[in-house]
Amino acid sequence: MLTERLLLRPYDPDDAALLKEAVDTSLDHLRRFMDWAWTAPEPVGVVRKRLRAFRDAFRHGDDWIYGIFDPDGSAIVGGAGLHRRVGPEALEIGYWIRASRVRQGLATEAAAALTRLAFERCGVVRAEIHVDPANTGSLAVAERLGYLREATLRKRLPPIKPGGPRRDEVVFSLLDDEYPGSPAVRFAVNGLD
Ligand SMILES: CC(C)(COP(=O)(O)OP(=O)(O)OC[C@H]1O[C@@H](n2cnc3c(N)ncnc32)[C@H](O)[C@@H]1OP(=O)(O)O)[C@@H](O)C(=O)NCCC(=O)NCCS
């Protein structure tokens, strides 16, 4: 999938070195909100194994995880996913952007592409974005795309750091009848798959 400034595609195990570089140079940034970043840095072989698992899950339709690349594929800008864990006819969208590329509207652009994919190709009734209430940048992404802040669920997110407190979770949703009028629909995407 190509957006104005990004290429989104499923990871290949050969992306391991690129992904490791993007994550390892973003550790402090990612560790604020992504629990998985606390297990990094990892050896490239471990990253490669995980990417193999992502590829298999993608092929089996269990979980659709995308790498976010520069359009020529030369660097990883971040990652994103469409996850089936929010019930029938619904998908949850997740995303992260490497530290050196934040505040350029790239998470918004990537999440818009996945929102379009969810409604136009997967035919969902509801797309959701789940955010830690302290994550100002991510709250803004959901709001900018026209998602409705639906609820704050208490202590639903795991501790950010092993041994820390559980965190509340803000649930944003966008429904199929709201999608055509949402800002998300106006983001250009080529090759919506
Ligand atoms: C949250 C995150 C995805 C935002 O990515 P991004 O590419 O910077 O987001 P965008 O540039 O599309 O920003 C959208 C809006 O948020 C604002 N914003 C971005 N980062 C912000 C921050 N740290 N604090 C306050 N506002 C922020 C931007 O200014 C923009 O608002 P505006 O243009 O309407 O003023 C990125 O910081 C990140 O990867 N964080 C770590 C992982 C994470 O939290 N993932 C999301 C989990 S729900």
Side-chain angles (χ1 to χ4, degrees):
M1 244 177 336
L2 263 179
T3 67
E4 197 186 325
R5 293 173 292 171
L6 302 169
L7 166 71
L8 279 80
R9 64 159 175 79
Y11 284 115
D12 183 280
D14 287 345
D15 297 324
L18 281 185
L19 178 58
K20 179 175 165 52
E21 186 271 335
V23 170
D24 291 1
T25 56
S26 303
L27 282 184
D28 291 344
H29 162 65
L30 293 173
R31 283 178 175 174
R32 292 185 59 218
F33 295 110
M34 311 306 272
D35 53 353
W36 52 259
W38 286 90
T39 59
E42 294 174 317
V44 73
V46 172
V47 179
R48 174 179 285 273
K49 200 170 158 196
R50 180 167 311 108
L51 292 186
R52 226 176 275 133
F54 286 174
R55 186 184 60 185
D56 292 347
F58 198 105
R59 284 181 178 161
H60 293 134
D62 295 334
D63 200 25
W64 295 289
I65 297 184
Y66 289 81
I68 306 176
F69 298 80
D70 278 327
D72 64 1
S74 59
I76 286 193
V77 175
L82 277 179
H83 309 293
R84 306 182 70 163
R85 53 199 179 206
V86 288
E89 297 185 81
L91 287 167
E92 180 191 338
I93 293 172
Y95 42 78
W96 62 272
I97 296 293
R98 65 183 298 157
S100 58
R101 302 291 297 276
V102 292
R103 311 205 78 160
Q104 301 170 14
L106 297 176
T108 305
E109 193 168 312
L114 291 187
T115 300
R116 291 197 54 180
L117 186 62
F119 286 104
E120 295 179 35
R121 290 286 182 273
C122 308
V124 297
V125 170
R126 189 177 79 255
E128 294 188 7
I129 297 178
H130 293 195
V131 185
D132 181 323
N135 194 344
T136 335
S138 190
L139 295 170
V141 170
E143 280 160 1
R144 274 162 55 135
L145 292 176
Y147 281 72
L148 181 81
R149 189 174 183 141
E150 193 169 293
T152 300
L153 307 182
R154 296 180 301 161
K155 296 193 179 182
R156 288 296 176 97
L157 288 173
I160 189 60
K161 190 176 174 179
R166 292 187 70 83
R167 298 165 295 146
D168 293 349
E169 176 178 62
V170 181
V171 176
F172 286 88
S173 61
L174 184 67
L175 302 180
D176 52 356
D177 51 352
E178 297 163 346
Y179 166 66
S182 74
V185 84
R186 295 199 292 269
F187 282 76
V189 185
N190 276 322
L192 201 57
D193 60 21

